[in-house]
Amino acid sequence: MLQVNDNYLKLPGSYLFSTIGKKVSAYTQANPDKKIIRLGIGDVTLPLAPAVVKALHEAVEEQADAATFKGYAPDLGYAFLRDVIAEKDFKARGCEIAADEIFISDGAKSDSGNIQEIFSADAKIAVCDPVYPVYVDSNVMAGRCGNYDGETEQWSNIVYMPCTAENGFAPDLPKETPDLIYLCFPNNPTGAAITKDRLQDWVDYANKNGAVIIYDAAYEAYVSEENVPHSIYECAGARTCAIEIRSFSKKAGFTGLRLGYTVVPKDLVCGGTALHGLWARRHGTKFNGAPYIVQRAGAAVYTPEGEAQTREQVAYYMKNAAYIRAGLQEAGYTVYGGTNAPYIWLKAPNGMTSWQFFDYLLEKGNVVGTPGSGFGPSGETYFRLTAFGSYENTVEALRRIKSL
């Protein structure tokens, strides 16, 4: 008899943000007169930059003409986008990344979940704790994580790397050597950044131990400090140990358009096999490419107009982040993040658990955030707020929180 993949049955509960959505929906139905301000899910609110919209319109017109119509995209993505990414995101920062090492996709979330497919089922993974849930859940689905302990909220076959206030929410090198190491900086959910020297330590560690780093740089556009790298390839030796994943969602507001990319250097070899070829095979087999019009929009982000306009959007959100951080500190909260990332990580007050504070904030302030425990056991008693709301809603949300 046909059986399901029972690894899915091991997953505890539903996806974090689905649970939040259900709670907020139930509260809204019971209290239709309440205006909810959502600072939980990291979805952008500003409209697309004018240069991006112009490129979209032009690309749509091309699709209406037989002479310029485009069907399936090339496996890796269109050269016009890969070339400008290689030039602007990497070569301009001294990183040796070629255009054909860049794989265009429909977003960092997809790539973060799919990249594990090219590794063996018995590979041991290491994750930051707290961590973006997709890294763990996708490996659970693949049967790589062992069994779940409801008491510790940990999987038996995962190496957890605690990120705490004591280590600046950047993990220490693990004592147990993993095969795959997931790092995300600037970090979701804590908003923490990592210095170039500290990231170099990770690159050296991975090369020494034969490990591969999956580096999620979805928030690199928010880096503001000089000693914080935008790419892991700014570190010597990263080409032989690191895969980097990036997104247009937060950099240019493409959460609705869907566009991202993954870099797999040709120098990266695992067990005698080049990972570039494996990812190319997987990509070509299971993905039909981001739409032509979306890739044209992505290329517009790198025009002088597009760069200036998207920088303004990032600055807008970081103004929100600074406002949230300062306002919470004035109210007596212990606060982290909000400097190199659009996330603010705060300590829940009065000994509350993170879900208790979620309920308290929703019911008393009508503000939605994200419970830290949803990102892992070390996230308990912490809470994440995002800077992606409007400035007006951000100001109102802080007024409500301060009045509690």
Side-chain angles (χ1 to χ4, degrees):
M1 185 174 72
L2 179 66
Q3 299 292 320
V4 301
N5 179 349
D6 59 6
N7 291 310
Y8 279 70
L9 305 180
K10 296 180 180 179
L11 290 165
S14 60
Y15 184 57
L16 170 62
F17 296 105
S18 298
T19 302
I20 291 172
K22 291 175 183 176
K23 277 181 166 282
V24 174
S25 178
Y27 181 83
T28 301
Q29 290 180 11
N31 302 272
D33 58 321
K34 303 294 185 181
K35 179 186 176 182
I36 305 296
I37 296 178
R38 300 170 187 265
L39 300 181
I41 295 177
D43 195 2
V44 296
T45 52
L46 291 175
L48 294 167
V52 170
V53 174
K54 181 175 182 289
L56 283 169
H57 282 299
E58 290 174 350
V60 168
E61 290 301 320
E62 288 184 64
Q63 294 295 73
D65 187 335
T68 52
F69 173 79
K70 299 291 190 299
Y72 290 125
D75 282 358
L76 273 66
Y78 284 99
F80 63 75
L81 179 55
R82 289 168 27 237
D83 288 345
V84 73
I85 288 172
E87 186 64 37
K88 294 291 186 74
D89 284 350
F90 297 102
K91 292 178 183 177
R93 297 191 180 279
C95 305
E96 296 182 10
I97 297 297
D100 64 357
E101 294 176 315
I102 296 166
F103 296 78
I104 305 300
S105 73
D106 62 352
K109 181 178 181 180
S110 298
D111 286 354
S112 295
N114 293 330
I115 195 68
Q116 52 77 28
E117 289 188 22
I118 65 174
F119 298 100
S120 66
D122 60 356
K124 182 173 283 289
I125 73 166
V127 297
C128 295
D129 173 28
V131 66
Y132 181 44
V134 171
Y135 309 153
V136 172
D137 289 359
S138 59
N139 279 283
V140 172
M141 293 170 178
R144 198 173 281 120
C145 299
N147 298 310
Y148 183 71
D149 186 333
E151 291 294 322
T152 63
E153 298 182 337
Q154 294 185 340
W155 294 88
S156 61
N157 203 36
I158 290 181
V159 176
Y160 288 90
M161 305 182 295
C163 297
T164 64
E166 288 70 28
N167 61 16
F169 298 100
D172 300 318
L173 298 174
K175 295 178 181 178
E176 180 183 1
T177 305
D179 300 304
L180 292 175
I181 302 167
Y182 285 81
L183 296 178
C184 172
F185 289 103
N187 185 257
N188 175 17
T190 67
I194 192 169
T195 64
K196 184 176 179 180
D197 288 346
R198 200 162 179 183
L199 185 56
Q200 184 68 60
D201 290 340
W202 279 99
V203 169
D204 295 342
Y205 173 89
N207 278 320
K208 178 182 177 181
N209 292 282
V212 172
I213 297 172
I214 310 297
Y215 193 74
D216 185 346
Y219 301 95
E220 63 81 25
Y222 293 82
V223 170
S224 62
E225 296 178 316
E226 287 295 324
N227 65 336
V228 176
H230 289 255
S231 169
I232 195 170
Y233 301 116
E234 294 177 42
C235 296
R239 284 184 56 87
T240 57
C241 70
I243 293 170
E244 183 164 300
I245 298 172
R246 290 210 191 181
S247 170
F248 284 74
S249 289
K250 308 308 191 301
K251 174 179 181 175
F254 278 37
T255 55
L257 290 184
R258 308 305 308 146
L259 188 67
Y261 65 87
T262 289
V263 179
V264 185
K266 293 179 182 177
D267 299 348
L268 181 51
V269 176
C270 182
T273 300
L275 297 184
H276 181 276
L278 290 187
W279 185 241
R281 187 68 171 88
R282 192 267 172 207
H283 207 64
T285 300
K286 293 191 173 184
F287 183 62
N288 259 344
Y292 171 73
I293 62 173
V294 176
Q295 293 195 48
R296 276 295 180 195
V301 172
Y302 296 94
T303 63
E305 298 82 5
E307 287 181 325
Q309 292 162 7
T310 53
R311 276 197 301 268
E312 287 180 6
Q313 292 184 336
V314 168
Y316 178 93
Y317 293 131
M318 290 310 292
K319 178 183 177 183
N320 288 350
Y323 189 90
I324 295 171
R325 182 184 174 106
L328 290 173
Q329 288 174 331
E330 289 172 8
Y333 287 85
T334 301
V335 188
Y336 307 92
T339 301
N340 294 291
Y343 295 119
I344 292 83
W345 190 242
L346 63 135
K347 189 79 171 175
N350 305 320
M352 292 185 188
T353 67
S354 55
W355 277 107
Q356 285 174 339
F357 187 59
F358 173 90
D359 291 334
Y360 175 75
L361 202 59
L362 175 61
E363 294 168 7
K364 302 297 183 182
N366 304 143
V367 175
V368 177
T370 308
S373 63
F375 298 101
S378 290
E380 183 54 277
T381 74
Y382 285 95
F383 202 76
R384 191 192 77 174
L385 293 175
T386 82
F388 289 119
S390 69
Y391 181 72
E392 294 74 19
N393 278 348
T394 299
V395 171
E396 173 59 18
L398 263 293
R399 185 196 66 77
R400 295 181 187 181
I401 293 172
K402 287 181 176 180
S403 69
L404 296 177

